Amino acid sequence: GMQGMALRGGAKDLAAQFRFARAVAISSGEPQDVVIDPQARRWEGAKGRTGELPAGGEIVFTGARASLFEPGQAEAGKGAVRFFPDGAATGGRVRMLAGEAGKRGGWDVDVGWLTGEVRVSRVPVPQ
């Protein structure tokens, strides 16, 4: 119910930030990073934007480690998606899961590595 709605809203907000970072990379000609910290439930994006990921459930990032992009920042668990001036990206996925283990549904925010396309999709609850 409420947790699912919060996760959906969080997924849409994060997708908007990924799209913003891609647009800034294209318009400025400079690569832009969006750093995800699942443990702290925070993100840092283009133009100094920051925000929080929804409380409750589990946040899982799949993609490059932030330390690959930010010299000297080898904090465990942080990940990043880099957007390039040609619109491409390093790609990645942020999965926001609700409910108990084994009975989780939620939302995925996917960034395509070749096109930089950002998509939000539902993760079905296992039967």
Side-chain angles (χ1 to χ4, degrees), residues 8-26 31-36 41-54 80-84 88-89 94 96 109-111 116-120:
R8 181 176 183 220
K12 289 174 113 180
D13 289 346
L14 184 59
Q17 295 308 317
F18 281 141
R19 290 181 183 114
F20 177 73
R22 182 175 184 267
V24 170
I26 292 168
Q32 300 292 318
D33 296 340
V34 177
V35 178
I36 308 295
R41 294 181 176 273
R42 297 198 47 78
W43 56 264
E44 299 170 22
K47 300 252 183 204
R49 290 184 175 196
T50 62
E52 295 184 13
L53 297 169
V81 176
R82 175 167 280 178
F83 293 89
F84 299 100
V94 178
M96 301 178 191
V109 181
D110 290 304
V111 179
E117 179 187 6
V118 179
R119 281 180 272 136
V120 178

Side-chain angles (χ1 to χ4, degrees), residues 61-66 68 78-81 90-93:
F61 176 77
T62 305
R65 289 194 321 267
L68 296 177
K78 278 191 177 183
V81 176
T90 57
R93 167 180 283 168

